[in-house]
Amino acid sequence: GVLAQCALGLILGGAIGNLIDRIGFGVVTDMIDLDTPLEFLRTFPIFNVADTALTIGVILLILDFLLHRDSDNRPLITDN
């Protein structure tokens, strides 16, 4: 469905973005630092846009899997 396509696009885009950084610069540059007085956000890991795309893509893919199950809860993929 559309949700799975968006999820896979985000995952692929994030992976390619990190791969370009790794090949082109030798490192993946993390650039988003949540500098805030709130302790739980101040200790939050530094990340980049590609990491965000990967994370959102995986979450959407899990949601798509959970929302599109058969009514009798059979797995959609079976060994035949």
Side-chain angles (χ1 to χ4, degrees), residues 13 33 38 44 49 56 62 79:
D33 186 3
L38 300 174
F44 198 79
V49 175
I56 292 171
I62 291 169
D79 295 330

Side-chain angles (χ1 to χ4, degrees), residues 30-53:
D30 291 331
M31 60 188 158
I32 300 171
D33 186 3
L34 302 176
D35 188 22
T36 176
L38 300 174
E39 178 66 26
F40 74 96
L41 287 178
R42 192 172 10 154
T43 58
F44 198 79
I46 300 171
F47 56 97
N48 61 29
V49 175
D51 295 337
T52 305

Side-chain angles (χ1 to χ4, degrees), residues 12-71:
L12 185 61
I16 290 172
N18 279 338
L19 183 64
I20 288 170
D21 277 355
R22 180 70 61 191
I23 291 172
F25 304 112
V27 295
V28 175
T29 304
D30 291 331
M31 60 188 158
I32 300 171
D33 186 3
L34 302 176
D35 188 22
T36 176
L38 300 174
E39 178 66 26
F40 74 96
L41 287 178
R42 192 172 10 154
T43 58
F44 198 79
I46 300 171
F47 56 97
N48 61 29
V49 175
D51 295 337
T52 305
L54 282 164
T55 302
I56 292 171
V58 168
I59 290 168
L60 290 177
L61 199 58
I62 291 169
L63 283 174
D64 182 68
F65 174 77
L66 293 174
L67 294 174
H68 292 99
R69 294 183 59 105
D70 287 342
S71 59

